[in-house]
Amino acid sequence: MRHAPCTTLHPTTTSEERPLRPLLTAVPPPPDPDLLAELVQLRAQNSQLALALETRAVIDQARGMVMALAPCTGDRAWDLLVGVSQHCNIKLRVVAAALVATTADKTLPADIQRELRRALRLLHAADRP
């Protein structure tokens, strides 16, 4: 059974019958420029800290791998990874992720592999009397 189309969705009213409502809501005054600058800085810092927390575990795993390979202290492993990162011009978190990925049968990129070997040789040579 078909219904006839409804031609009136709402009862019509005239402008005199409608209550007056403001078309725009109140907008707060613009914030203090110093406060706005601080807010931008804090948001950037928060973003950086969130990224650091995300990548910290991978970097620590790579550090442990270097400590087992070398063997060396945690500080020396850190310095070695930072050196590889700087010589390859690749972010530390990327170097660490590539090294950790080798545990899942991924190949270490050639430039990182070459620089890691060089750094490990230098580390071993420094430990020899």
Side-chain angles (χ1 to χ4, degrees):
M1 174 179 202
R2 293 183 120 192
H3 296 282
C6 180
T7 56
T8 306
L9 296 176
H10 300 289
T12 57
T13 57
T14 63
S15 61
E16 294 82 24
E17 296 171 4
R18 279 187 247 144
L20 294 176
R21 293 185 323 198
L23 294 176
L24 298 174
T25 57
V27 176
D32 178 14
D34 292 336
L35 187 61
L36 187 58
E38 184 180 0
L39 177 64
V40 168
Q41 179 188 5
L42 289 172
R43 284 185 176 163
Q45 185 179 19
N46 187 33
S47 176
Q48 291 170 354
L49 289 172
L51 181 60
L53 283 175
E54 289 174 20
T55 59
R56 184 62 188 220
V58 173
I59 292 171
D60 283 344
Q61 289 171 359
R63 193 174 177 183
M65 291 173 71
V66 171
M67 290 169 65
L69 286 171
C72 63
T73 65
D75 289 340
R76 291 189 81 180
W78 173 265
D79 292 341
L80 185 138
L81 287 170
V82 168
V84 169
S85 169
Q86 290 175 347
H87 282 93
C88 292
N89 197 24
I90 299 173
K91 292 196 177 286
L92 177 61
R93 67 176 180 263
V94 175
V95 170
L99 185 59
V100 171
T102 62
T103 63
D105 293 329
K106 303 267 182 174
T107 304
L108 195 61
D111 53 343
I112 296 175
Q113 188 176 38
R114 184 174 45 255
E115 187 57 35
L116 184 60
R117 283 183 182 156
R118 188 192 70 76
L120 287 169
R121 278 195 305 270
L122 289 174
L123 182 67
H124 288 291
D127 286 342
R128 291 187 189 139

